[in-house]
Structure formats: C-alpha cells, structure tokens
Amino acid sequence: MTDYLWIFVTAAVVNNFTLSYFLGLCPFLGVSGRIDTALRMGMANIFVLVVTALCVWFLNSFILPHAPYLRLISFIVVIASTVQFVEMAIKKLSPALFQALGIFLPLITVNCAILGGTLFMVERDYNFGESVTFGLGSGFGWALAIAALAGIREKMKYSDVPKGLQGLGITFITVGLMAMAFMALGGIQL
C-alpha cells in the first residue's frame, strides 16, 4: 500500500509533469485564465490519463510484446480515441464548458504530459495497480498545477503589474516560480 501512495505522491507533487518536466504547457497556459475552466480541464486530463494508463498497460502486457514496433503509434491511437470520447461527452453534456475549453480540449491529444505518462509507465515497468495509480497521480498533479496557476492568475487581474509584464510575461514568471517551488521537493526521500 505504501508503494502505491509513494507512486501517487511522486507523480502528483515531486515529479509533477508540468512543473518538473515542463510537459503539457500548451493547455496549461491556455486554460488557466479562470479557475472553474482550469478545474474542468484538470478533471478531463485526469480521466484521459487514467483511461490511457489502463489501455496502455493492457496493450503493453498482452499485445505489444509480440509487436514492439507498434508501441508508439498504438499509444497515440489510445490517447487520441480517449480524448475524442471526452470531447464528445463534454460537447453533449455541457456545451458551455465545451465552448469555454475551446481548442484546448482537442489539444489534450497532443499534450506531451499524456504521452510522457504512458512512456514513463512503460519504462518503469509498472504493474496494473501501479499504472492506474501513476495515471491518477500524474493527472491529479497536472490538475493541481493548473488550478494553482488559475487561482494566482485570477488574483493577478487585480494587482498592479507593470505594463511590460502584463499577460503572458507575468504568467511565465509565475510558472517559473511555481516550478522552482515544486522542484525543491525533488530531493525528498521517503
């Protein structure tokens, strides 16, 4: 049980995809303007990472040992089909959210964090439970990072930011400071 907890905490906080590896920055910066939209995008990312972890573990365990040359393309197909499913569900269930997420929802398909998560799982040779835990932890970490940035950006709207730094300038500085804070956790050994 402690192994699963360690995998979850490591994926979510210590080795956060966005703030430690700088993966998934396009939707991270694009959807972090409002906290409600950021949280929903985070939930979509968690779902895609968990479903992808399940499918990739199955493919890697039973099908791809016989055809390793299909590994990368099969991972991309799994990610794209999962994102397409999420996109159709959000469009049907919440058209307003679909409009708010805009182009960034289909960009989950090319989100480096999703593909990085699948490749990390394969490289670390996780079993079924560890793969699901890693997918959940890394998705939670991405959602945590985007929600934190969205909260900070909402507060910065009311701050006196110098003219040259307004917009993405101060956002990049904020993301850099957040990344330094998360990377300080990198030396933790439990």
Side-chain angles (χ1 to χ4, degrees):
M1 186 64 175
T2 58
D3 290 339
Y4 293 112
L5 180 63
W6 173 244
I7 290 171
F8 181 85
V9 170
T10 301
V13 180
V14 178
N15 294 323
N16 185 293
F17 281 163
T18 305
L19 298 174
S20 293
Y21 295 120
F22 301 107
L23 297 174
L25 287 177
C26 182
F28 177 71
L29 293 172
V31 185
S32 62
R34 293 183 41 202
I35 196 148
D36 59 335
T37 318
L39 286 173
R40 291 178 180 150
M41 181 63 136
M43 298 308 284
N45 229 2
I46 290 171
F47 179 78
V48 169
L49 272 163
V50 170
V51 170
T52 301
L54 292 168
C55 295
V56 164
W57 178 84
F58 177 78
L59 283 172
N60 200 44
S61 297
F62 298 109
I63 296 171
L64 293 176
H66 308 294
Y69 49 88
L70 294 175
R71 184 169 307 219
L72 194 58
I73 193 72
S74 63
F75 294 168
I76 292 171
V77 167
V78 166
I79 293 167
S81 58
T82 305
V83 170
Q84 187 64 37
F85 173 73
V86 168
E87 186 176 1
M88 289 186 312
I90 290 176
K91 188 175 185 178
K92 178 77 174 168
L93 298 174
S94 178
L97 175 61
F98 182 76
Q99 289 295 331
L101 293 176
I103 189 67
F104 296 103
L105 186 58
L107 281 178
I108 295 176
T109 303
V110 293
N111 189 344
C112 309
I114 308 293
L115 183 60
T118 60
L119 295 175
F120 285 152
M121 283 183 283
V122 170
E123 181 68 29
R124 295 173 183 168
D125 198 27
Y126 284 151
N127 64 30
F128 179 75
E130 292 170 341
S131 295
V132 172
T133 304
F134 183 77
L136 186 64
S138 56
F140 180 76
W142 195 88
L144 175 72
I146 195 170
L149 181 61
I152 293 169
R153 285 181 74 180
E154 280 189 357
K155 293 288 185 186
M156 281 193 301
K157 288 179 186 175
Y158 305 109
S159 300
D160 188 25
V161 178
K163 184 123 174 112
L165 291 177
Q166 290 177 354
L168 277 180
I170 195 69
T171 302
F172 280 128
I173 291 171
T174 304
V175 169
L177 292 171
M178 287 173 63
M180 287 185 349
F182 271 73
M183 291 180 90
L185 302 171
I188 293 177
Q189 297 292 327
L190 295 178

